[in-house]
Amino acid sequence: MNLKKGDEVVIISGVDKGKNAKVVAVLTKSNKVILEGEKIRVNKVHSKPTQDNPDGGIVEKAAKIDISNVMVVTGKDKKRTRVGHKTVTDKPTKKGAQGEERKVRFAKKGGAILD
């Protein structure tokens, strides 16, 4: 998965095209994300009365957006970019020891490490 919870993204297609948002959840099985942001599309769900919500009524829930419709935003200029994966070797802590390798995500534009 190229997206993680907490990433800043821009919507590249659909009704909310061009709006910036933050990833709240990533649904890997359905390849969708739930976003949080200003004036992002919401679905109105009709709920029956329950013990938790005795009145029931219409509840607004954040809409699920397909992963292919969002791109990660990086840097001060807030430009959208693709995400790549690479292995980075950490610096060794002891003399003569080898550093640990870890897999990281990086921005294809600029090469900034995302996590």
Side-chain angles (χ1 to χ4, degrees), residues 17-34:
K17 182 177 180 177
K19 295 182 182 176
N20 289 341
K22 187 175 183 181
V23 177
V24 175
V26 179
L27 309 171
T28 56
K29 289 185 180 178
S30 60
N31 281 335
K32 296 192 183 287
V33 290
I34 298 175

Side-chain angles (χ1 to χ4, degrees), residues 38-87:
E38 192 174 320
K39 296 184 180 180
I40 299 293
R41 186 176 60 142
V42 293
N43 291 338
K44 293 188 177 184
V45 179
H46 298 263
S47 64
K48 289 186 176 182
T50 61
Q51 288 182 348
D52 296 335
N53 186 9
D55 295 334
I58 300 171
V59 180
E60 290 186 352
K61 286 179 127 181
K64 299 172 188 172
I65 298 176
D66 199 86
I67 282 182
S68 64
N69 294 337
V70 297
M71 285 184 85
V72 174
V73 174
T74 59
K76 294 177 186 174
D77 53 355
K78 300 290 183 188
K79 294 232 176 178
R80 63 187 193 187
T81 180
R82 292 176 294 151
V83 177
H85 297 271
K86 67 180 176 182
T87 306

